[in-house]
Amino acid sequence: MHRQSIILLAAFFLEISLFSISISPAFAIIYSTALKPGDVVMYRIFYQNNYYNSQMKVLSVVGTQVTVNFTDYPAPGVYFGNMWFDVFSGNTNSTSNVLFAVSPGLNVGDPVFNGNSTSILAEQPYPCGALSRPQVYTLFSRSDQSVHVSWDRSTGIMCEYEAYSSGTVILGFRLDSTSLWSSSSSDANGFATATEISAALGLPLVVIVLFVYFRRKRSKARSRKK
């Protein structure tokens, strides 16, 4: 009996250990970057009722800090120059709300950055460049702006971005093509023009559903205009 009890006790602790190992990755978020020097992303930018093409090129990657250069390509008017961003801490040398990258592999509920109160609200496939890519989405407010943003889940690169002020889109980005997955896009459509948003948005789930709905509605509206 004593030997059987020891065997059962050992089996119990082994099971507990295996269970702990199996669930630990779900709680461990490893912030990193999939970007590397030389990576290029082409964005379609909406700014002050005008559309521009801008090239973002990765200049350097040091740990979790990524330095990029935004260049007008070819239209003048929107120039951001060099900026760096840390996908671990969220620190940046820019006052802009344009978060051009996050850590790849984030799940719903994960903080966008380490210790950050903003978390991933939803995940779903949506066009990013010429391909449908699994994306993670969030909403946040900063510097008197309400920001809707999505990132490609496997690379962390920003796919779409919309900054609102008083319910109107004042700045928008849409990924058009990138060397990250060697895709190109012939879609030259930009963002829809200023859109009024209800000030009575409620729960985060409702917000993200409306976010996706309005994006699709704008996409259909652009298609009808062709």
Side-chain angles (χ1 to χ4, degrees), residues 2-207:
H2 180 67
R3 184 177 179 182
Q4 289 180 341
S5 298
I6 293 177
I7 293 174
L8 289 174
L9 188 62
F12 173 77
F13 280 110
L14 178 61
E15 185 176 353
I16 291 295
S17 298
L18 292 174
F19 177 75
S20 299
I21 293 173
S22 66
I23 65 173
S24 59
F27 297 96
I29 304 173
I30 300 176
Y31 292 91
S32 61
T33 180
L35 304 181
K36 61 186 182 301
D39 286 339
V40 173
V41 183
M42 294 297 300
Y43 283 106
R44 181 74 164 164
I45 300 178
F46 169 77
Y47 177 66
Q48 294 184 346
N49 295 320
N50 294 303
Y51 296 96
Y52 304 88
N53 294 316
S54 182
Q55 175 185 268
M56 188 193 83
K57 184 174 183 179
V58 179
L59 301 180
S60 66
V61 177
V62 179
T64 54
Q65 181 174 303
V66 182
T67 301
V68 302
N69 175 267
F70 279 96
T71 305
D72 290 337
Y73 194 87
V78 182
Y79 179 75
F80 291 88
N82 293 359
M83 64 180 290
W84 61 261
F85 189 78
D86 194 309
V87 300
F88 174 79
S89 65
N91 293 333
T92 178
N93 67 335
S94 172
T95 58
S96 170
N97 289 327
V98 178
L99 309 181
F100 59 82
V102 293
S103 180
L106 294 179
N107 297 303
V108 174
D110 288 345
V112 175
F113 313 109
N114 183 57
N116 191 270
S117 59
T118 302
S119 60
I120 300 300
L121 299 180
E123 175 190 346
Q124 73 170 40
Y126 200 77
C128 185
L131 304 175
S132 177
R133 305 277 300 185
Q135 295 174 49
V136 290
Y137 303 81
T138 196
L139 313 175
F140 65 90
S141 296
R142 190 170 68 178
S143 303
D144 298 323
Q145 292 182 357
S146 175
V147 177
H148 301 175
V149 60
S150 71
W151 300 275
D152 177 62
R153 189 174 182 273
S154 64
T155 63
I157 196 67
M158 183 179 73
C159 284
E160 290 200 11
Y161 172 97
E162 291 178 332
Y164 293 82
S165 179
S166 300
T168 300
V169 180
I170 58 174
L171 178 64
F173 282 71
R174 181 179 181 181
L175 189 151
D176 195 45
S177 64
T178 177
S179 63
L180 290 170
W181 50 80
S182 300
S183 69
S184 60
S185 174
S186 59
D187 182 4
N189 291 322
F191 291 87
T193 54
T195 303
E196 292 300 319
I197 296 181
S198 170
L201 295 180
L203 297 174
L205 180 59
V206 176
V207 173

